[in-house]
């Protein structure tokens, strides 16, 4: 089963946009997301409607952030993508009149709702600023680790 990786891909692109500090073209973002520019434009349209990004045409144009990273959560991005399903597990519906199947599906439905609510709630706790901070910390660590290693030679 194919997994929906749009959330991960768009978060990746948004962090690149934050780090660049300049408009990025759909082609540049497509390269970051390992997709094509049409997919980028379609995906960014939902984010533009929510005020997360903006675009400008012409020379020097492209997509740029239109929001304060500390005010936008991963749930905001998830919602802008149309709130795709988060679980790949489904129900067996071969015999809907079977009482055993009904009991199993009721139990699973409750568990699925709880898991989905927990995950979506967790997405609401993480801001784009937190992701950017995590990236910068990793970059600083890698840079300092590389410098120490070079001094040891």
């Amino acid at each position: 089963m194919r997994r929906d990786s749009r959330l991960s891909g768009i978060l990746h692109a948004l962090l690149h946009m934050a780090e660049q500090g300049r408009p990025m073209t759909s082609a540049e973002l497509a390269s970051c997301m390992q997709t094509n520019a049409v997919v980028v434009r379609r995906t960014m349209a939902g984010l533009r409607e929510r005020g997360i990004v903006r675009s400008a045409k012409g020379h020097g144009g492209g997509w740029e952030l239109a929001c304060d990273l500390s005010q936008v959560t991963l749930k905001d991005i998830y919602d802008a993508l149309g709130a795709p399903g988060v679980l790949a597990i489904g129900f067996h519906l071969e015999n809907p009149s079977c009482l055993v199947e009904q009991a199993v599906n009721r139990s699973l439905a409750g568990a699925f709702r709880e898991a989905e609510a927990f995950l979506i709630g967790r997405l609401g706790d993480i801001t784009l600023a937190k992701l950017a901070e995590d990236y910068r910390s990793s970059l600083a660590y890698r840079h300092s680790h590389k410098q120490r290693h070079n001094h040891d030679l």
Side-chain angles (χ1 to χ4, degrees):
M1 174 178 279
R2 187 161 187 260
R3 294 182 183 243
D4 186 334
S5 61
R6 291 178 301 155
L7 180 60
S8 175
I10 201 63
L11 291 171
H12 184 136
L14 291 171
L15 289 183
H16 274 289
M17 292 167 68
E19 292 304 308
Q20 289 296 316
R22 63 166 178 80
M24 293 182 72
T25 66
S26 295
E28 288 174 310
L29 292 169
S31 178
C32 295
M33 295 170 67
Q34 297 183 356
T35 190
N36 65 58
V38 172
V39 171
V40 170
R41 286 189 289 275
R42 189 174 348 159
T43 304
M44 289 293 187
L47 276 67
R48 180 178 47 215
E49 290 171 9
R50 303 268 178 138
I52 297 168
V53 298
R54 62 179 162 251
S55 63
K57 295 181 180 184
H59 182 70
W63 296 97
E64 62 185 343
L65 292 169
C67 63
D68 178 345
L69 297 183
S70 67
Q71 299 300 310
V72 178
T73 67
L74 274 58
K75 183 179 181 313
D76 296 327
I77 305 301
Y78 166 80
D79 289 339
L81 293 174
V86 296
L87 297 175
I89 301 171
F91 299 106
H92 189 262
L93 299 172
E94 294 296 315
N95 191 357
S97 63
C98 175
L99 296 178
V100 171
E101 188 170 295
Q102 290 174 17
V104 168
N105 289 346
R106 274 193 306 273
S107 179
L108 288 176
F112 293 167
R113 277 192 306 275
E114 289 173 18
E116 190 168 80
F118 176 80
L119 176 58
I120 292 170
R122 182 70 178 108
L123 293 177
D125 295 337
I126 305 167
T127 64
L128 290 179
K130 174 65 179 138
L131 285 183
E133 176 186 320
D134 184 41
Y135 160 73
R136 290 182 193 116
S137 294
S138 295
L139 183 64
Y141 175 80
R142 180 183 286 176
H143 181 71
S144 68
H145 183 71
K146 188 175 182 178
Q147 282 185 336
R148 281 196 304 263
H149 179 61
N150 287 342
H151 288 286
D152 292 343
L153 295 177

